[in-house]
Amino acid sequence: MCTKYIRLLLKKLLMKTESTKQKILVWLLSGRSLTTIDAWQRFGTSELRTYVAALRKEYNITDTRIKVACGNGHMANVKRYCLYLIPTIIMKLETEK
């Protein structure tokens, strides 16, 4: 499927987006990943894993552990969440237009 078409669907969905959960979903649907730090900076929430748990009931969201530098020079393990578009998700987006 054409990425331009998918971007258009996401743009329409984003214009209707009001809740933090929807914003996170649109972010992930756009092909970008998200960590707890990103969620705090972009959406003002520290509850990313709660939203991801709810979204996983309908979407194929995966996670990978990554190491990030802390302010004190130590390294911390955090999860990076990603969503992979599959045909059923694309069909669902088309029905929500």
Side-chain angles (χ1 to χ4, degrees), residues 17-73:
T17 301
E18 293 182 17
S19 75
T20 302
K21 181 179 164 184
Q22 289 173 326
K23 289 177 184 175
I24 290 169
L25 175 59
V26 171
W27 184 266
L28 293 172
L29 282 170
S30 69
R32 296 174 280 192
S33 62
L34 199 57
T35 64
T36 305
I37 296 164
D38 298 330
W40 176 255
Q41 292 172 341
R42 297 182 193 286
F43 310 116
T45 182
S46 60
E47 297 296 322
L48 179 61
R49 70 180 167 178
T50 304
Y51 291 117
V52 168
L55 290 169
R56 277 185 167 154
K57 294 176 184 175
E58 297 183 54
Y59 298 94
N60 183 25
I61 298 175
T62 61
D63 60 72
T64 307
R65 288 207 173 267
I66 60 168
K67 290 189 181 230
V68 295
C70 298
N72 60 6

